[in-house]
Amino acid sequence: MKTLKTLQSLSGLGRVLSKIAFVFSVIGACGCIAGIISLSFAESELIKLSGVTLHGLISEHIGADVKSIIAALSAWIIACAGEAVVAKFAELYFKNEQGAGTPFTLAGAAELMRLGILAIAVPVVCAAAGSIVRGIVAAIISAEKAADISIFGDSGNFALGMMFIVASLLCRYGAELAEGGNAK
């Protein structure tokens, strides 16, 4: 029973970390929206510090025009929203697992399988959708060149998703063994 207690503790930690990831994803999306709004005023003389405009600082430091950065931020909103979705599904899994008291249930295994598939699929779909939105926004606002801000990085989403899928199969096997033992 010591191992089950450890699993439940890790499940609680997973639930807390999922909540934190969800909050950070929402904050990231809101930050992108705030960035788009503030950058919309960047080329005007409204935001000026010691004779230097915000537009001048951004263009000089990043090497991209403000409109390109706005287009990139619009894509990042989609990426943050996707991460929020995955984090919420993870939180739901951990909550239900804690409620069941064991990861070895058929319902929990199915939920973990769904989480694994989402952890793989959502970032890929969001990257594709973000690239499309970025291109559309760049065309609408006539951005000069694309800002070098990629939303499809080398994160561990694929590996994490595969680990969830493998773990779901192990949990399903444990649930089937437990049901078979109870039937005997």
Side-chain angles (χ1 to χ4, degrees):
M1 288 300 176
K2 183 177 179 184
T3 303
L4 182 59
K5 186 175 180 179
T6 303
L7 283 172
Q8 291 305 100
S9 296
L10 289 173
S11 180
L13 178 63
R15 186 174 178 187
V16 170
L17 291 175
S18 298
K19 283 182 181 183
I20 292 170
F22 176 78
V23 170
F24 281 164
S25 297
V26 170
I27 290 170
C30 292
C32 290
I33 292 169
I36 289 171
I37 291 169
S38 66
L39 287 174
S40 297
F41 298 107
E43 291 182 344
S44 70
E45 297 292 319
L46 291 175
I47 303 174
K48 198 172 196 178
L49 303 170
S50 300
V52 179
T53 63
L54 181 61
H55 166 63
L57 287 173
I58 292 171
S59 295
E60 183 181 311
H61 184 66
I62 295 178
D65 68 318
V66 171
K67 291 180 180 180
S68 299
I69 296 169
I70 290 172
L73 286 174
S74 65
W76 269 101
I77 292 170
I78 294 172
C80 289
E83 290 299 325
V85 167
V86 173
K88 198 49 123 169
F89 273 99
E91 180 187 344
L92 180 65
Y93 165 74
F94 289 121
K95 176 185 172 190
N96 292 339
E97 190 277 334
Q98 284 185 310
T102 180
F104 301 109
T105 63
L106 293 175
E111 208 171 356
L112 189 56
M113 175 71 75
R114 177 181 66 191
L115 179 59
I117 292 168
L118 288 173
I120 293 170
V122 169
V124 172
V125 170
C126 286
S131 293
I132 292 168
V133 167
R134 178 179 168 186
I136 291 170
V137 170
I140 290 172
I141 63 175
S142 303
E144 291 178 18
K145 69 173 194 165
D148 190 24
I149 304 172
S150 174
I151 65 169
F152 193 68
D154 51 346
S155 64
N157 289 329
F158 182 79
L160 182 64
M162 288 305 297
M163 287 189 287
F164 282 150
I165 291 170
V166 170
S168 76
L169 295 173
L170 292 171
C171 290
R172 184 184 326 162
Y173 179 67
E176 290 169 353
L177 285 178
E179 282 184 1
N182 291 340
K184 292 180 183 177

